[in-house]
Amino acid sequence: GSVLNGALPSAGSDMAGSINQSNLLETSGLNPFQTLIVTNGLSGFDNLQLSGGNSGSDLRQNIVDGAGMTVATGHYDYVLASGGSNNNDVGIAYTLKQVDIADNRTLTLTGSADGAELNAVVTGSEAGDLLISGAANSSVLLTGVNTYSGTTTVSSDVTLTAGVSGFGTYINSGANTIGGLTVDNDGSLVLNSGTTLRINELVDTATNTIAGTLSGTGTLALVDDGAGLTITSGNRGFGGTLILGE
């Protein structure tokens, strides 16, 4: 095949610019496409080879808040691909694989009415937190094997669904824990069948609170380390298992 004298970025390189966290769960954040060559009609693309190879991994981009502060880092796999208008352009297709929440920062994931989904792995220490936000009746589905250990907060009117990952469980930190959980009034946490969410009070929070709705048939487990769990809402839709003092 034809060889194009060029190379994709090397692993660990930084992408130009940054992405606002409010756009992270949109196509521009999850699967962006960067056009390199515009054509009127593309043929023989499968025979095109870059001198440095056609794919790579761990290209990084800063994820920022509204003030321009970096709150997380996105890690992308990338490949030479066709795309753009009528799929006639040659460029780089990126896939978000991992999100590292920065210490002492809060990453906000914004839900949508038709359900925003993140299957990339979310990582970070107990010093970084996750906020699930959005307009009324919006939702976020997390399906990655997540390893962050900060506090997760679900804002009012938003649903967080802890989906079944490749390992059949919603995992946070290596010990299958998150550092804390707050579900605000009118917020909602759904634990799908086969999903386990463990709460280990790793951060300085007096108690975990579910003031919104808890539903699904999964398992919510509270590790016995002195942390409390306060549920102030009726949860008739929850048919799963609640474990206190695991």
Side-chain angles (χ1 to χ4, degrees):
S2 300
V3 177
L4 184 64
N5 187 20
L8 295 176
S10 59
S13 298
D14 294 330
M15 295 170 63
S18 59
I19 183 169
N20 192 285
Q21 60 184 356
S22 63
N23 300 321
L24 188 62
L25 300 186
E26 300 177 359
T27 300
S28 59
L30 297 175
N31 302 106
F33 180 82
Q34 179 184 7
T35 299
L36 300 177
I37 303 173
V38 178
T39 74
N40 292 323
L42 183 62
S43 62
F45 173 79
D46 292 341
N47 296 319
L48 181 63
Q49 297 290 322
L50 290 180
S51 58
N54 284 18
S55 62
S57 61
D58 197 28
L59 191 63
R60 302 174 185 182
Q61 185 174 45
N62 288 337
I63 302 168
V64 300
D65 61 16
M69 179 74 69
T70 297
V71 295
T73 302
H75 298 253
Y76 291 82
D77 284 353
Y78 47 102
V79 62
L80 186 70
S82 58
S85 179
N86 298 318
N87 213 40
N88 283 331
D89 300 338
V90 177
I92 303 175
Y94 301 90
T95 301
L96 182 62
K97 305 297 288 186
Q98 181 174 315
V99 177
D100 296 334
I101 302 176
D103 285 352
N104 303 313
R105 296 289 182 265
T106 297
L107 171 67
T108 300
L109 298 181
T110 303
S112 62
D114 56 353
E117 180 175 349
L118 179 64
N119 54 31
V121 173
V122 182
T123 70
S125 73
E126 62 192 69
D129 298 326
L130 180 64
L131 172 64
I132 307 298
S133 185
N137 301 316
S138 61
S139 65
V140 173
L141 172 63
L142 298 181
T143 59
V145 184
N146 301 308
T147 60
Y148 73 94
S149 51
T151 295
T152 299
T153 300
V154 184
S155 297
S156 295
D157 298 323
V158 183
T159 296
L160 169 63
T161 298
V164 176
S165 70
F167 292 93
T169 183
Y170 175 69
I171 302 176
N172 284 277
S173 87
N176 302 336
T177 65
I178 58 175
L181 175 67
T182 300
V183 181
D184 291 341
N185 289 323
D186 299 322
S188 180
L189 173 66
V190 181
L191 297 176
N192 284 346
S193 176
T195 297
T196 298
L197 177 59
R198 291 182 174 86
I199 306 171
N200 182 14
E201 197 69 19
L202 301 174
V203 294
D204 186 17
T205 301
T207 187
N208 302 282
T209 302
I210 299 178
T213 301
L214 174 65
S215 61
T217 57
T219 298
L220 180 64
L222 185 68
V223 177
D224 185 15
D225 66 348
L229 174 63
T230 300
I231 301 177
T232 61
S233 55
N235 296 286
R236 294 183 179 180
F238 182 62
T241 301
L242 178 62
I243 301 175
L244 300 177
E246 184 180 48

